[in-house]
Amino acid sequence: MNLQNWLRWWMRIILPLLGWRVPVALLRGPARGSGREVVLLHAGPASVFIKERFFAQEPVVERCVRVPVWRLQRLLDEWRSTADLVAVGIDRVSARLFLRPHDFEVPMWLSSLSQVPEDLQVFTRNHKSAQADIRRVRIKNFECHLSRAAEDLDCFYDRFYVPFIPARHGEKVALVPRWRMRLMFRMGMLYWITQAGERLSGCLVIVKGGQFRLVVNGMLDGRLELLQHGALSAIYVHSILEARKLGCKEIDMGGSKPWLQDGVFRYKNKWASELRLLDGAVSSNRSVLLSWNRMAGPVAEFFTHTSLIHHDGDGFSALTAFPQEHPLTAETLQQHHNQIKAKGLRCLTILLPGEVPADFVCPSGVRLISGGTVSDSGPERLKLCGHPDTPAGPMQDPTQPRQS
């Protein structure tokens, strides 16, 4: 773990040096969802996932240059008037030194954490979807076997990890190199999920300081049908059991992408109670800075299908938009909230295309912003609409009557 801390510290110095010339592109293409033509001003490799979520297909590159990082802000100012959305993926040191402060900073990856329950039956009563996973693992008789054998690591890497991660997260996701996984393995162990003696899934685990950390998962030969079979659910169920045996108090269930509709995030969040930055040398030192001139139109549409989780003080909040093509009623608004709500958020802000339905009771930890309050402004305007200091109590646009 000291090596991991050393790598994170070093990356704070190395990333600005490696990224001193930043690729900047003005991209045009059809929007995901409506298909309308939209323009994205895109800078830095860390913001690729924004491009993938913004466009329905590969966009056309209208302009593309590389600039020294100290000239990046000037170029962004020159080009931003033609863009609907601006996304800058950059290391956090360079952002502080060379860019103006941003009001909307998105982490590259997030970790979902859960407290190890003292009573599993009480835990399942409060986590209905997790209860179904636990029942399925028991019925299908998935078993867990721990291993510290060096030859098992190569088997896991070649047949479980390397085929599975691109299939699960997309072809462009970066794989952990074998040498680094060997270093982590020396600090931890593998545990295998078997059924009738056959290994179906596995996970590299590190146990330290009362935390049971799931580092990377793998599925046999990358077979995604094993997800429906329950082989991945078995990893999380057995992690609770193994963490209890080892006296751990907390489980780090590993990384997911930072938007509420991401399937990996939604699965891990049903077990979780807290969100943190993914503990990685690169992921914890880079973030994506978003800005826009006007919320209404393409940007609001983007947030209907990609509800981004963003830094909010020492925690995280999320921003979503209610789909304009749906009727705005108390029932449809409640359905939208139920589909995207997540544990571990300080605040969930929902942008509405009209007024708050009179009979809608605002849930705790939710802020509603209605009508044209922010339609013709950038992200800085969101702060002026009020913000909770704690997740307790109903929150909404202060220009509207408070709901009872």
Side-chain angles (χ1 to χ4, degrees):
M1 294 303 293
N2 289 333
L3 177 61
Q4 292 289 313
N5 294 332
W6 181 84
L7 284 173
R8 281 194 297 272
W9 183 86
W10 245 141
M11 290 307 291
R12 294 177 189 173
I13 299 174
I14 293 174
L15 284 175
L17 299 177
L18 294 177
W20 73 274
R21 287 183 62 84
V22 183
V24 184
L26 200 61
L27 308 174
R28 185 182 299 271
R32 179 185 290 264
S34 69
R36 77 165 87 184
E37 187 176 77
V38 292
V39 179
L40 173 68
L41 177 52
H42 178 272
S47 57
V48 168
F49 73 88
I50 298 293
K51 181 187 75 172
E52 295 173 347
R53 297 295 301 175
F54 197 57
F55 294 107
Q57 62 190 48
E58 190 65 25
V60 175
V61 180
E62 291 196 338
R63 304 172 71 181
C64 183
V65 297
R66 282 182 176 269
V67 296
V69 65
W70 52 87
R71 290 182 52 196
L72 178 59
Q73 185 65 65
R74 181 187 301 177
L75 184 65
L76 294 175
D77 292 340
E78 292 174 359
W79 288 13
R80 67 178 299 119
S81 61
T82 60
D84 297 299
L85 182 66
V86 180
V88 181
I90 194 170
D91 68 274
R92 305 180 81 179
V93 172
S94 295
R96 288 195 297 268
L97 291 175
F98 303 113
L99 300 181
R100 285 194 293 271
H102 277 65
D103 295 307
F104 205 86
E105 181 182 353
V106 179
M108 284 182 61
W109 291 86
L110 287 169
S111 274
S112 298
L113 290 95
S114 173
Q115 300 302 309
V116 178
E118 296 182 3
D119 189 322
L120 196 57
Q121 290 185 344
V122 173
F123 176 82
T124 56
R125 283 201 296 269
N126 297 325
H127 298 74
K128 296 300 181 183
S129 57
Q131 184 181 65
D133 283 344
I134 292 172
R135 186 184 305 113
R136 179 167 58 168
V137 168
R138 184 175 63 250
I139 292 172
K140 294 192 173 183
N141 196 29
F142 286 110
E143 296 182 337
C144 172
H145 301 278
L146 302 179
S147 171
R148 289 187 171 87
E151 60 271 18
D152 276 358
L153 179 65
D154 286 326
C155 174
F156 171 76
Y157 191 87
D158 294 327
R159 294 205 56 193
F160 289 77
Y161 172 70
V162 171
F164 174 66
I165 294 302
R168 178 70 163 159
H169 296 284
E171 293 293 335
K172 296 182 180 179
V173 69
L175 294 173
V176 176
R178 191 187 300 265
W179 67 266
R180 189 175 171 208
M181 192 170 290
R182 282 178 176 155
L183 290 177
M184 292 188 289
F185 180 64
R186 292 175 186 173
M187 300 182 287
M189 57 187 167
L190 285 170
Y191 78 84
W192 298 104
I193 299 299
T194 65
Q195 187 181 50
E198 181 184 13
R199 292 174 176 176
L200 298 183
S201 62
C203 185
L204 176 61
V205 174
I206 293 176
V207 178
K208 184 174 177 63
Q211 185 185 76
F212 191 89
R213 181 186 172 200
L214 311 183
V215 182
V216 287
N217 296 330
M219 230 29 79
L220 177 62
D221 297 327
R223 290 162 50 192
L224 294 183
E225 69 271 15
L226 293 176
L227 298 177
Q228 286 70 42
H229 186 61
L232 183 62
S233 302
I235 288 178
Y236 294 101
V237 172
H238 277 287
S239 70
I240 295 176
L241 303 177
E242 294 301 320
R244 289 178 63 190
K245 290 179 185 177
L246 295 171
C248 296
K249 301 298 183 183
E250 183 181 71
I251 301 173
D252 182 342
M253 289 173 287
S256 57
K257 295 176 181 177
W259 62 84
L260 300 181
Q261 291 88 346
D262 178 59
V264 178
F265 171 81
R266 298 222 62 81
Y267 184 84
K268 292 182 178 182
N269 190 254
K270 72 180 180 181
W271 302 89
S273 57
E274 183 181 351
L275 298 176
R276 294 182 192 167
L277 280 177
L278 182 65
D279 187 16
V282 175
S283 59
S284 60
N285 284 299
R286 274 183 176 163
S287 57
V288 179
L289 309 176
L290 288 189
S291 60
W292 54 87
N293 296 319
R294 190 170 186 269
M295 170 61 76
V299 177
E301 180 187 341
F302 171 71
F303 281 108
T304 64
H305 58 73
T306 306
S307 304
L308 288 174
I309 300 168
H310 58 92
H311 288 276
D312 187 3
D314 58 355
F316 298 96
S317 292
L319 176 64
T320 186
F322 185 87
Q324 291 196 359
E325 64 272 16
H326 295 168
L328 179 57
T329 66
E331 181 180 3
T332 57
L333 183 53
Q334 186 63 57
Q335 290 173 353
H336 182 73
H337 173 257
N338 291 341
Q339 290 170 357
I340 63 170
K341 64 181 179 181
K343 289 171 283 188
L345 294 176
R346 183 180 176 196
C347 175
L348 172 61
T349 298
I350 305 178
L351 305 176
L352 303 178
E355 300 301 316
V356 180
D359 54 343
F360 180 73
V361 179
C362 189
S364 175
V366 174
R367 177 176 58 154
L368 304 176
I369 300 179
S370 60
T373 308
V374 296
S375 61
D376 292 318
S377 59
E380 66 282 351
R381 176 64 178 162
L382 293 172
K383 287 187 175 182
L384 303 179
C385 293
H387 191 283
D389 292 325
T390 68
M395 293 155 279
Q396 64 183 67
D397 179 0
T399 65
Q400 301 299 319
R402 178 176 285 278
Q403 303 295 324
S404 59

